[in-house]
Amino acid sequence: MAKLKFAYPIEEVHGKLANGFGAAQRLAKNNDGKREPFSVHYGQRTTPVTALEVQNRAAFAAISKLCAQHRNNINKRQTDQAGFKSQTTYNTFNAYLWNVCKAEYEASLED
């Protein structure tokens, strides 16, 4: 038996309705300070992965690894925290750090 627990727009989906469907409220605010609800429908991919998708996935993995290295290195973390406090463009430290690491990654590609 399917049952729904409603909140805005849907808090939980159980039973047959939940097969391949998910709805949730974001736990953390995004860079714009918004916490919007979202829904997801899971299914089988019907098209092959494109070269651009492979390139974007590789870039995401590399930038994510750089962010982890910046967080784990005490000197880089202190530099990044000081840089974050001195700017007003990014609302969160993660957004600032991601942008710094993205610039570092793109500079490494040009060399």
Side-chain angles (χ1 to χ4, degrees):
M1 182 169 118
K3 59 182 178 174
L4 294 173
K5 182 177 177 184
F6 282 98
Y8 179 75
I10 297 172
E11 187 176 301
E12 295 177 21
V13 180
H14 299 277
K16 288 185 178 183
L17 293 177
N19 188 15
F21 174 79
Q25 180 82 23
R26 295 191 196 297
L27 297 178
K29 293 181 181 178
N30 62 14
N31 195 34
D32 297 330
K34 297 178 183 175
R35 186 179 297 156
E36 299 171 349
F38 65 96
S39 64
V40 178
H41 183 73
Y42 302 100
Q44 296 283 329
R45 184 178 183 121
T46 59
T47 59
V49 178
T50 65
L52 181 61
E53 285 176 311
V54 172
Q55 180 183 353
N56 288 343
R57 289 176 185 179
F60 184 89
I63 294 170
S64 179
K65 187 176 179 179
L66 278 174
C67 286
Q69 290 172 355
H70 274 247
R71 283 190 185 97
N72 292 333
N73 186 334
I74 294 172
N75 295 330
K76 285 185 179 180
R77 184 172 179 102
Q78 289 174 345
T79 305
D80 292 333
Q81 286 175 336
F84 173 68
K85 289 178 183 176
S86 67
Q87 59 84 39
T88 58
T89 306
Y90 303 101
N91 295 334
T92 64
F93 179 69
N94 285 336
Y96 172 77
L97 184 60
W98 187 267
N99 213 348
V100 167
C101 292
K102 182 179 177 185
E104 192 175 310
Y105 172 74
E106 289 173 351
S108 70
L109 291 179
E110 293 174 0
D111 292 342

